Amino acid sequence: MRGAVARGAVVWGVRGAAVLLTLAGLGHTLWNGLVEPGTALAFGALIACGELARRDTRDAGGARGPRDARDPRDSWGTWAAAAAAPDAADDRQPAPLAFAGALAYALLGPDAAEPTHHGVLQIVTVVVAAALAGIVPHIARGRAPAADHLARRVLTVAFAAVCFQPLYNSGRLEDGIGQGPYLVLFLLLLLGLTALCDAVLAAALARARTGWPYGPLLRDELRAQLGIGSAICATGVVMALGVAVAGLWALPVFCLPLLLTQLSFHRITAIRTTYRQTITSLARATEIAGYTRPGHSRRVAALSCAVGRELGLSERELTVLEYAALMHDIGQLSLVDPVRSGATAGLPAAEARRIAALGGEVARQTGVPAEVAVIVERQADPYREQPALARIVRAVNAYEDLLGGPRHPGGPLAALEQLRLGTGRDYQPEVVECLARVLARGGRDRVVPVPPG
């Protein structure tokens, strides 16, 4: 309970800080008026256009996978996936052009060799007003962006502006660094700190939403900054330096490379979505054929990803884990007589290994990555002989089988206790305890307590 309250305080703290900055900026701008309104209008138009070009993750191929969807047919929903980080880096920055334009305005010095005098509070006002203007069409379509994205942008841009504008407006930046290559190095260093600030905020918000460990979340956010995040920062610097030399006409020229980069990321995301849909369809073959219970593979995939998050897996490892969990029962298609209820957890070890080996062969023939097929193939081995991801699939699949099997009516507590009894050989203790913590935070039936210690 205390943890949930603390996480909620983080979310409202970030949002509250963004709102206070916005109100302060709006009051300051209304009182003093816009400084260099033409420049402010140009950057505001760029930010608004960037928001209009915002990518809605719900448009990437239509359907979603076990980590980012809710299926009303599942008795417990894919609760673990609601806040899972997307696969593509541009999902973390759904409006990269708007963010780059905001950074460029925050780092703007001269305009066509003429000094500018806009301050931090005006920058915040222009960024927020332009962003709100750009998201109106999205709101009209019923697809309003998350408030956390806007709050992060306000705080990140304000951080960059606070680091740059006072030095520039006081003349100390030009006296100490000048306008040569040292200025470029200074801007790159500042953007590195800004990217770190954004990653820290993003990881904190993700931690507050999910309760997952902060370290792996921060690592994934920093890794994502190397993708489209680096393109955003580079475009922000180039636009600010271009305007300093060529004036505002540099803005439409230097935003084109980022638009092309954004388009490339969209295509990559669409390909990944299609690939995931294909694997999900293959996994459903066992349900359609009557070999497994409806929704079983999706539930195992969602819960496996949640346990993987708890263990601190990277985004790439989570993707491999998700694919393997979706396909973990595909070997049953090779059986003449289906396993009762599709529950392989109660089978003799030799039979379970045979089915897993068949599944590995089927997975290889579908063209999935080799590591996915290995996990499917090794899921029935003793945990000391398994790859780390196969240990998660085995434990979660056993929990799901025990919970849904007719011979185990005791519910989540009894199913989890059965797993704990098998930690000597079949299930890794750390995985079982991570599963218990995940379930205690909101898993199936919400009744499994966290064990002492």
Side-chain angles (χ1 to χ4, degrees):
M1 184 64 180
R2 290 180 180 178
V5 172
R7 294 195 297 269
V10 170
V11 174
W12 287 108
V14 171
R15 294 178 180 177
V19 169
L20 289 177
L21 264 176
T22 301
L23 293 177
L26 181 61
H28 177 271
T29 304
L30 290 176
W31 182 262
N32 297 289
L34 273 176
V35 179
E36 290 117 13
T39 303
L41 180 61
F43 277 94
L46 176 62
I47 295 169
C49 289
E51 287 293 343
L52 287 173
R54 166 186 288 273
R55 179 185 182 277
D56 191 335
T57 57
R58 287 166 289 192
D59 293 337
R64 290 170 170 258
R67 282 196 289 147
D68 53 5
R70 290 183 181 273
D71 189 340
R73 292 171 296 177
D74 290 344
S75 61
W76 57 299
T78 50
W79 56 270
D87 288 327
D90 66 330
D91 288 337
R92 291 182 168 86
Q93 296 293 354
L97 181 59
F99 196 11
L103 285 177
Y105 191 42
L107 301 176
L108 180 63
D111 179 357
E114 294 294 328
T116 59
H117 304 90
H118 59 280
V120 175
L121 293 179
Q122 178 172 311
I123 292 170
V124 171
T125 303
V126 170
V127 169
V128 173
L132 292 177
I135 65 176
V136 167
H138 298 287
I139 296 176
R141 295 168 59 197
R143 295 178 175 179
D148 291 346
H149 276 297
L150 187 56
R152 273 174 50 201
R153 184 181 306 166
V154 169
L155 295 180
T156 302
V157 170
F159 173 83
V162 166
C163 293
F164 179 82
Q165 290 297 328
L167 292 175
Y168 171 77
N169 290 328
S170 65
R172 285 179 289 178
L173 183 63
E174 186 172 357
D175 294 340
I177 297 179
Q179 297 295 328
Y182 291 110
L183 175 61
V184 177
L185 292 176
F186 172 76
L187 291 177
L188 291 176
L189 175 62
L190 179 54
L191 281 175
L193 294 175
T194 302
L196 177 60
C197 173
D198 184 62
V200 168
L201 287 174
L205 290 170
R207 160 73 177 169
R209 290 194 304 270
T210 64
W212 292 329
Y214 181 78
L217 291 172
L218 179 60
R219 178 193 60 200
D220 288 334
E221 294 295 337
L222 291 173
R223 187 173 297 168
Q225 294 292 341
L226 299 177
I228 200 168
S230 60
I232 292 172
C233 292
T235 304
V237 169
V238 169
M239 285 196 292
L241 294 176
V243 170
V245 176
L248 297 174
W249 291 107
L251 290 180
V253 175
F254 289 116
C255 73
L256 287 178
L258 183 59
L259 284 174
L260 295 176
T261 303
Q262 183 179 358
L263 179 61
S264 298
F265 271 93
H266 289 181
R267 290 179 176 176
I268 292 172
T269 303
I271 291 171
R272 289 180 175 180
T273 301
T274 302
Y275 190 68
R276 177 183 290 168
Q277 289 173 339
T278 302
I279 291 179
T280 303
S281 298
L282 287 171
R284 288 195 63 198
T286 58
E287 302 173 18
I288 296 173
Y291 283 79
T292 58
R293 292 175 290 113
H296 171 73
S297 62
R298 296 192 302 277
R299 289 191 292 270
V300 172
L303 192 50
S304 294
C305 289
V307 173
R309 278 285 185 189
E310 185 73 17
L311 288 168
L313 299 184
S314 66
E315 282 294 326
R316 184 182 181 281
E317 290 171 323
L318 286 172
T319 300
V320 172
L321 175 62
E322 178 185 358
Y323 292 167
L326 282 170
M327 302 184 74
H328 76 279
D329 270 332
I330 201 167
Q332 295 197 41
L333 294 175
S334 302
L335 300 179
V336 177
D337 297 321
V339 178
R340 184 181 180 185
S341 301
T344 57
L347 293 177
E351 180 65 12
R353 288 188 181 185
R354 185 178 74 86
I355 295 175
L358 292 172
E361 288 300 321
V362 174
R364 286 187 178 88
Q365 294 176 13
T366 63
V368 298
E371 52 196 331
V372 174
V374 169
I375 294 170
V376 174
E377 186 177 52
R378 301 286 300 280
Q379 61 177 302
D381 295 349
Y383 79 84
R384 292 180 178 86
E385 303 174 12
Q386 289 178 310
L389 301 186
R391 299 172 182 177
I392 299 175
V393 174
R394 176 168 190 178
V396 173
N397 177 58
Y399 172 80
E400 171 66 19
D401 284 347
L402 291 170
L403 201 59
R407 292 180 298 172
H408 300 276
L413 283 172
L416 192 58
E417 186 61 29
Q418 188 73 20
L419 293 186
R420 288 189 173 118
L421 292 175
T423 53
R425 179 180 184 276
D426 296 329
Y427 312 113
Q428 185 180 18
E430 292 81 0
V431 172
V432 175
E433 296 313 313
C434 280
L435 174 61
R437 291 196 296 271
V438 168
L439 293 168
R441 284 203 302 267
R444 187 168 181 174
D445 298 333
R446 300 175 178 266
V447 297
V448 181
V450 178

